[in-house]
Amino acid sequence: MIAYIKGQLLSVYAHSLIVQTTGGVGYQIFVPESLLSSPVDSVIELHVHTHVREGEIALYGFSQVGEKQLFELLIKTSGVGPKLGMAILSHISAVQLIKVINQQDANALTAVPGIGKKTAAKLCLDMRDYLKKYPVTDLAAADISTESVAVPVSPRDELLSALV
């Protein structure tokens, strides 16, 4: 499994980068939109999630370990695959996503293409539980802890969670 890559940025595409390591191997790595503005020929370091499926191995890269951890929690959620997880992190920063989840603001997630109201509500509920169980570390804004925002749980929310 590939977990980290450091190398020269050879080219930038719509959703991915080609990074050449010192061994001369070029890897295509799908990244959030924020990394697509990296200058070609610069040295880039990425924390990588290796996703293996039938007949396909895909690499998803992030500038911080916390972003990678958040991505891995996103794709654990039913109905969210790597492409949708990357779309979420391309439209909402990792820090903002944690705030959205802690505040259970499903409407903010519906702004991401491919996420409807039902998926957003389910994502908020599932991710809140995941973030409590597996806290995300190493994000630039250390002041966002998953326990810093108290989320009141109403009987309606508990019922919705049980139904989902």
Side-chain angles (χ1 to χ4, degrees):
M1 174 165 71
I2 299 170
Y4 175 82
I5 289 182
K6 179 179 180 179
Q8 180 182 6
L9 180 58
L10 291 182
S11 35
V12 178
Y13 296 103
H15 301 288
S16 65
L17 309 171
I18 304 293
V19 178
Q20 180 181 10
T21 62
T22 56
V25 178
Y27 294 94
Q28 179 180 20
I29 305 169
F30 296 94
V31 296
E33 286 183 18
S34 60
L35 290 175
L36 293 175
S37 61
S38 302
V40 175
D41 290 330
S42 64
V43 174
I44 191 165
E45 298 180 50
L46 297 172
H47 299 277
V48 176
H49 170 80
T50 304
H51 191 77
V52 180
R53 288 186 6 190
E54 295 177 24
E56 177 185 5
I57 297 175
L59 303 176
Y60 296 88
F62 307 92
S63 59
Q64 297 178 359
V65 173
E67 288 177 312
K68 176 186 169 187
Q69 291 173 334
L70 192 58
F71 174 78
E72 290 171 341
L73 292 176
L74 279 169
I75 63 175
K76 278 177 121 176
T77 305
S78 175
V80 179
K83 289 182 182 177
L84 185 55
M86 191 58 72
I88 292 168
L89 290 174
S90 289
H91 285 82
I92 303 172
S93 72
V95 172
Q96 188 61 34
L97 180 59
I98 291 174
K99 288 179 182 177
V100 164
I101 291 165
N102 284 334
Q103 296 169 356
Q104 295 292 286
D105 184 7
N107 290 331
L109 290 173
T110 58
V112 177
I115 296 185
K117 289 183 180 183
K118 287 182 183 180
T119 304
K122 181 170 179 14
L123 190 61
C124 281
L125 290 171
D126 290 349
M127 284 297 293
R128 180 180 62 186
D129 294 338
Y130 286 148
L131 288 173
K132 286 179 183 175
K133 192 172 183 179
Y134 309 105
V136 174
T137 59
D138 190 45
L139 286 175
D143 63 330
I144 55 121
S145 115
T146 56
E147 298 171 2
S148 64
V149 178
V151 179
V153 179
S154 69
R156 181 181 181 275
D157 289 341
E158 286 183 14
L159 178 62
L160 180 62
S161 176
L163 290 173
V164 169

